[in-house]
Amino acid sequence: MKTRMLVSTVACCTLVVVGAACGSSGSTPKADKTTTSAPAVKGGVSVTGAWARMSPAGAANGAAYMTLTSPTEDKLLSASVDAGVAKKTEIHETVAAGSPMGSDDSAADDSSSTMPATSAPMMSSDTTMAGQMTMRPIDSLELPAGKAVELKPGGHHIMFVDLVKPLTVGSTLKVTLTFENAEPMVVDVPVKEG
Amino acid sequence: MVRRLVALAALALLASSCGSGAAGNADAFRGAVITPPRSVAQVVLPDAADGNRPFTFRAEKGHLLLVYFGYTDCPDICPTTLSDIRKALRDPAMAGHAGKIDLAMVTIDPEVDSGKLLTRFLDSFHPGAHALRTDDPDALAAAAKAFGATYSVVDPGHNLPREVGHSAITYGVDDKGNLVAQWTFGMPSADFAHDFAMILDGAELRAEQ
């Protein structure tokens, strides 16, 4: 248990530093500027930079990314695609493994009481910096008023579970987003190499 | 303890090199240099892409071997890293080094990842990649330990999805079987390319001052 705590603690710190230093991968569009340039759709959520990564051969799951900006406080509640694309669609967050639920913004919390109970985890005993990451579904995604919320590799993503067919470059997915307040909307999500 | 110091140094390096970006010292290594390099050539795993013949963690002569611990159901972290590596190989910095990058992925979820599935998955990114898979949990743990990688596969039961965690790190191994460098998640492909070329050029690897 001590080993696992150590690993998790170090992994948490890693994520914080990585997040601060280079939170986005080279392939990720920057979202900072979309706050001011977002289309003014009254009462609606603006979506920019939507894309999904082509799925590797045999991959069961896929992911889509985009930047959401809501003029008023709102929540992204769900995303869905045609049943011919994937059996299920979820909103996921990628976090440092072992960090407490729903607190990825304070991942440096190293309190041992927040460790999730695990059933026989298989883990190397080495406690070297591991940068271990995991992902899990979330019920909703907060959209603070006027703030660009970026879904990006290594952070939040829309996950297509059990792909019915591979996501191929050049195709476009129709992803339906539902919100707590705003009307549902359908977003064109082009599939790119990533 | 020594390794942890290396890790901390690596973090400091990462923070500084990312902050200054490509405009920083062009000669500085963008990832983390493993000092001194440590041998991983004693580790052997079956290569499903090669009829399950034993694979030794060593690059071909004059090549650089990239090693990643992941799983194919991973929709975000693994394909992002593998995509960034694929992109790096096309970067101008890699001119003259085409074909000198070997790639090996070790599945940390052999229960789901068959050898065939892993081989197909990797072929999407890097044809000829080594698909390393073992049913022996001790052999997998030993391989991970040699690199300092960790992983966990947790089945919460009650029909809940399994939670899989893994080190989101790319490891670089030279043709002597020495782990010489590692890169954390989020490394831009241009920085990957810069570092790969440095290693393949036989340049002295040093961190940005």
Side-chain angles (χ1 to χ4, degrees), chain A residues 48-141:
Chain A
T48 54
W51 68 285
R53 179 178 291 102
M54 61 157 278
S55 62
N61 305 324
Y65 309 98
M66 61 190 67
T67 298
L68 302 171
T69 310
S70 174
T72 54
E73 191 171 319
D74 210 334
K75 276 182 187 171
L76 174 66
L77 295 182
S78 75
S80 57
V81 284
D82 190 274
V85 176
K87 290 187 183 155
K88 200 163 59 160
T89 306
E90 298 173 342
I91 307 165
H92 273 235
E93 62 179 355
T94 296
V95 292
S99 66
M101 290 297 284
S103 65
D104 51 322
D105 288 332
S106 57
D109 181 359
D110 58 2
S111 161
S112 60
S113 62
T114 55
M115 294 300 298
T118 56
S119 56
M122 300 185 293
M123 182 169 291
S124 135
S125 60
D126 196 319
T127 53
T128 312
M129 176 189 78
Q132 189 171 163
M133 294 169 120
T134 189
M135 60 166 199
R136 57 190 172 212
I138 54 174
D139 291 334
S140 63
L141 177 62

Side-chain angles (χ1 to χ4, degrees), chain B residues 132-206:
Chain B
L132 306 181
R133 178 189 179 281
T134 177
D135 285 314
D136 176 358
D138 293 337
L140 176 57
K145 186 175 181 181
F147 284 88
T150 63
Y151 55 92
S152 59
V153 181
V154 177
D155 188 347
H158 308 292
N159 284 328
L160 290 166
R162 299 183 321 146
E163 190 168 297
V164 183
H166 61 104
S167 302
I169 292 176
T170 305
Y171 301 94
V173 179
D174 68 11
D175 59 6
K176 297 180 190 67
N178 284 322
L179 175 61
V180 294
Q182 66 185 38
W183 298 267
T184 37
F185 178 79
M187 184 67 53
S189 56
D191 287 353
F192 264 137
H194 168 274
D195 286 358
F196 297 166
M198 257 185 110
I199 294 172
L200 291 168
D201 283 337
E204 184 194 350
L205 306 185
R206 57 190 174 80

